[in-house]
Amino acid sequence: MNILSLSSLALALFCAVPGHLASPGTQPDAHHPALYSRSVLPAASYSVAFSKKVPRRKAKVDALAALRGSVVSRNAYKTVPLAGSNLDTDYLVNVTIGGQNFSLIIDSGSSDTWVPQAGFSCFDLTGSPVPQTTCNFGSTGFNPNSSKTFELYQNVSFNQTYGTSEYVAGPIALETVSIGALEVSRQVVPIPNVAAWTGDGVLSGVLGLAFPNVTSLFNTSDPTTASIKNRILYDPFFFTAVKQNKVEHPYFSIALNRPTAEQAENDLYTPNLGLLAFGGIAPVPVIHNTSVTVPVLAYPPTIAESKRQFFWYTLPIDSYNFPGSENIPEARNASLGNDTTVLDTGTAVNLVPAPVAAGYAAAFGPPAELITVSGVTLYAAQCNATVPQFSVTIGGQAFSMDPRDQLVPFGNDTCVLGTQAQGGPLIASDFHLLGDSFLRNVVATLNPIDREITLTQRVPY
Ligand SMILES: *[C@@H]1O[C@H](CO)[C@@H](O)[C@H](O)[C@H]1NC(C)=O
Ligand SMILES: *[C@@H]1O[C@H](CO)[C@@H](O)[C@H](O)[C@H]1NC(C)=O
Ligand SMILES: *[C@@H]1O[C@H](CO)[C@@H](O)[C@H](O)[C@H]1NC(C)=O
Ligand SMILES: *[C@@H]1O[C@H](CO)[C@@H](O)[C@H](O)[C@H]1NC(C)=O
Ligand SMILES: *[C@@H]1O[C@H](CO)[C@@H](O)[C@H](O)[C@H]1NC(C)=O
Ligand SMILES: *[C@@H]1O[C@H](CO)[C@@H](O)[C@H](O)[C@H]1NC(C)=O
Ligand SMILES: *[C@@H]1O[C@H](CO)[C@@H](O)[C@H](O)[C@H]1NC(C)=O
Ligand SMILES: *[C@@H]1O[C@H](CO)[C@@H](O)[C@H](O)[C@H]1NC(C)=O
Ligand SMILES: *[C@@H]1O[C@H](CO)[C@@H](O)[C@H](O)[C@H]1NC(C)=O
Ligand SMILES: *[C@@H]1O[C@H](CO)[C@@H](O)[C@H](O)[C@H]1NC(C)=O
Ligand SMILES: *[C@@H]1O[C@H](CO)[C@@H](O)[C@H](O)[C@H]1NC(C)=O
Ligand SMILES: *[C@@H]1O[C@H](CO)[C@@H](O)[C@H](O)[C@H]1NC(C)=O
């Protein structure tokens, strides 16, 4: 059985970018070599296991596309599609909110942690009411009446519209949220009572791990009047944990495991596919002298430094290395391709500058070729193709990727490459992305407080 049928291909993943920041301007910032350091971080005091569900249906794919949206309102924000494919991408974690358990997607690319409210109204994308089951969340939703810790956050609301035209809106709770042994109190948790959603029957919302500046809380009890003008920034879950002194160190760490081919083909839900650790490095075997720390870069690089903001885990790339890369300027010196590269747990593949992806595709034996499915163009190869070595140099350290992460089964003996081109009609031209295919090879330790990212190469597994 194939993991994905070609018809289940995504339209696109989306990402919110404030419109006033999206205009082109000055040249990208130079790298900051002085800020790089090598360090070995202490083991985490808390860690929880990941599970993973393999996407099989278009519904899931659309939902995932929506998750990249985080768009407050289309008037206030410009929707910039971020990525053009979505393969096998959900890493889920169990989260308890007010004593109720939910399976949430771990998203380092957004910041709101939300779950639908029990009794919510479901709509189709044209705004017509439909039965609640049509929204297809993995639970019936959060019930404030069954929580001992529920507090309504008065006079504010949540409103997110996604690039797919899906939306969620409604009230906001202040709630106790726990993940494994880490518990925070009075966390802002949107509990939308209105949803136009195409769910997958498993995930029930999002655990947003990015910065406060991509949150979506508005100073109005009527979500229809939400706008950038009445937005109030708040502390996402991990920021709250730090403020409440619940973690030893102000970072969390992600180790995504590679599913076996059998799991990828057969399991609808695969438990234990990695670790999310708070306050330390995820406890998986690593090659210690590969550890490197780089600064989180503010966005976008094309405007004056003083006007940039911190939204996501954006890091500087030195180079992409593979046979033939020495002849590709954008591979040799990644800053030529505008080094706005986001570490994103919500996207399956890497999206690199187009000349880099083309050069890498050409190095496959036989060379990978572009295929177009449902309007999305991707590099694809036969699944038995020879995979050239590939590494990404960050902070002077080359992080290599396992060949298995470069061929993603796609049906009919076709595999799509784990490293694809950024650009094209559905993908923002000023973003690059290191997704799950890269992240399975490293432990990524993200420190949003000191704004640092530490990467360490994992022992091959
Ligand atoms: C596989 O190829 C056949 C014949 O070309 C085609 O009809 C079918 O739709 C393909 N299946 C997938 C999943 O792409
Ligand atoms: C999450 O909870 C469900 C239901 O309690 C359980 O079956 C599953 O194994 C848990 N997953 C993880 C990763 O702990
Ligand atoms: C929720 O998850 C916690 C921790 O895994 C578990 O102890 C508890 O029994 C679960 N509660 C329900 C109602 O499933
Ligand atoms: C919670 O209780 C209120 C008041 O009794 C009721 O109106 C509401 O429907 C309940 N909500 C749910 C989700 O059960
Ligand atoms: C919410 O708004 C109402 C009506 O404007 C006001 O009376 C109340 O004090 C507000 N509550 C908070 C907590 O600001
Ligand atoms: C929210 O709006 C009220 C007026 O409606 C204003 O008094 C209050 O300062 C605003 N709060 C914030 C945090 O902007
Ligand atoms: C979200 O806010 C926009 C205005 O920014 C409004 O047009 C829309 O109706 C709101 N959505 C919901 C579901 O309230
Ligand atoms: C890391 O250690 C290995 C084996 O101990 C060694 O071969 C390698 O050169 C070291 N790398 C660096 C960057 O120090
Ligand atoms: C967050 O956004 C505000 C404007 O809304 C800006 O003043 C501030 O500098 C930003 N903070 C960060 C850390 O990017
Ligand atoms: C890489 O390109 C940038 C932008 O053109 C340039 O400033 C920098 O000096 C180059 N670095 C190297 C090592 O060639
Ligand atoms: C880099 O950014 C500039 C300004 O936005 C843009 O004109 C240029 O095409 C970008 N270069 C690449 C390789 O994406
Ligand atoms: C690779 O797979 C294709 C299609 O299944 C087959 O025709 C070809 O012979 C295989 N090549 C090798 C080297 O196994």
Side-chain angles (χ1 to χ4, degrees), residues 72-75 159-161 167-169 194 222-227:
V72 173
S73 90
R74 269 165 288 173
N75 292 336
N159 174 333
Q160 280 197 341
T161 300
Y167 55 83
V168 280
V194 162
D222 174 5
T224 65
T225 59
S227 88

Side-chain angles (χ1 to χ4, degrees), residues 108-347:
S108 61
S110 72
S111 300
D112 298 298
T113 294
W114 64 265
V115 287
Q117 186 180 161
F120 70 92
S121 305
C122 179
F123 294 88
D124 67 18
L125 299 186
T126 67
S128 303
V130 291
Q132 216 184 65
T133 50
T134 308
C135 280
N136 206 17
F137 286 108
S139 76
T140 53
F142 172 78
N143 187 343
N145 296 346
S146 338
S147 168
K148 293 190 179 78
T149 45
F150 173 76
E151 206 182 314
L152 183 70
Y153 189 160
Q154 286 183 31
N155 301 345
V156 298
S157 58
F158 175 63
N159 174 333
Q160 280 197 341
T161 300
Y162 297 95
T164 51
S165 301
E166 292 173 294
Y167 55 83
V168 280
I172 297 185
L174 294 170
E175 258 295 10
T176 299
V177 176
S178 45
I179 304 178
L182 173 61
E183 178 175 292
V184 308
S185 56
R186 301 193 83 233
Q187 172 60 37
V188 170
V189 180
I191 46 169
N193 56 6
V194 162
W197 194 258
T198 317
D200 62 1
V202 176
L203 78 87
S204 281
V206 180
L207 173 66
L209 293 169
F211 288 79
N213 277 30
V214 281
T215 57
S216 321
L217 182 154
F218 300 93
N219 191 5
T220 169
S221 53
D222 174 5
T224 65
T225 59
S227 88
I228 190 70
K229 294 202 179 87
N230 56 18
R231 189 166 76 123
I232 302 175
L233 302 179
Y234 71 88
D235 285 332
F237 172 75
F238 187 72
F239 283 74
T240 306
V242 171
K243 284 201 180 157
Q244 294 181 0
N245 292 314
K246 295 294 175 67
V247 285
E248 241 167 280
H249 302 283
Y251 42 77
F252 60 92
S253 179
I254 295 174
L256 305 182
N257 287 354
R258 182 183 309 113
T260 64
E262 291 71 30
Q263 285 172 332
E265 282 190 32
N266 302 317
D267 293 2
L268 191 59
Y269 184 87
T270 309
N272 298 320
L273 263 184
L275 291 171
L276 171 62
F278 297 102
I281 194 165
V284 297
V286 294
I287 304 172
H288 282 290
N289 67 357
T290 61
S291 197
V292 80
T293 298
V294 294
V296 176
L297 300 182
Y299 184 83
T302 46
I303 66 168
E305 196 158 5
S306 63
K307 294 195 171 143
R308 297 176 203 163
Q309 295 186 38
F310 291 91
F311 297 121
W312 308 286
Y313 297 94
T314 302
L315 81 179
I317 306 286
D318 299 340
S319 63
Y320 301 96
N321 321 297
F322 50 86
S325 62
E326 58 282 1
N327 302 320
I328 299 168
E330 293 85 350
R332 251 183 8 239
N333 180 350
S335 69
L336 294 173
N338 293 340
D339 61 347
T340 303
T341 302
V342 177
L343 283 185
D344 189 5
T345 59
T347 300

Side-chain angles (χ1 to χ4, degrees), residues 355-426:
V356 176
Y360 185 54
F364 276 68
E369 289 175 352
L370 284 172
I371 58 166
T372 298
V373 185
S374 309
V376 180
T377 300
L378 296 163
Y379 283 103
Q382 283 178 352
C383 298
N384 60 4
T386 306
V387 178
Q389 287 188 335
F390 185 88
S391 67
V392 185
T393 301
I394 297 166
Q397 175 70 45
F399 293 95
S400 59
M401 280 179 59
D402 191 290
R404 288 170 288 174
D405 294 317
Q406 295 287 11
L407 284 174
V408 183
F410 205 62
N412 278 7
D413 291 325
T414 294
C415 279
V416 297
L417 303 201
T419 298
Q420 297 283 344
Q422 157 258 47
L426 294 174

